[in-house]
Amino acid sequence: MRLLALLAFVAIFAGAVYLWALPLEVATVYAVASLACFALYASDKAAAKAGRWRTPEYQLLFAGLACGWPGAIVAQTLMSHKSSKRSFKSRFWVTVMLNVAAFIYLSSPISPLRQG
């Protein structure tokens, strides 16, 4: 499911670049947000192992929603972090769907950002 989501987004992104002339700089936004989200997950995983203060789940979810979800998927896969808690997983996938839906809308020719 995780790899499929990443591959599907790459295809959607490539389609937006090709069909709607989406600037490639948008990829930089996703890359930077993904790196930051990955670091946040890694920090939370280290805190969990050490018994220290944890990053609240809403912050992890927001980081994913704010274009960092590809990095979150990589972190969940590589570190097995937040990958088995059912309530978190369901909320995480909702944020992924919301981000992808917003990406498609804001990238499309009908978006107010693309008018003018």
Side-chain angles (χ1 to χ4, degrees), residues 1-3 5-6 34 37-38 41 57-77 81-100:
M1 171 87 168
R2 293 180 201 153
L3 180 59
L6 289 174
S34 290
C37 194
F38 183 92
Y41 271 72
E57 285 187 350
Y58 76 88
Q59 288 181 359
L60 296 173
L61 292 168
F62 182 77
L65 179 63
C67 301
W69 66 267
I73 287 178
V74 173
Q76 289 172 8
T77 303
H81 189 52
K82 294 293 187 182
S83 59
S84 60
K85 187 175 179 185
R86 185 174 296 275
S87 64
F88 181 84
K89 282 178 23 177
S90 61
R91 290 181 289 150
F92 172 76
W93 286 108
V94 167
T95 65
V96 171
M97 289 185 285
L98 288 172
N99 178 271
V100 173

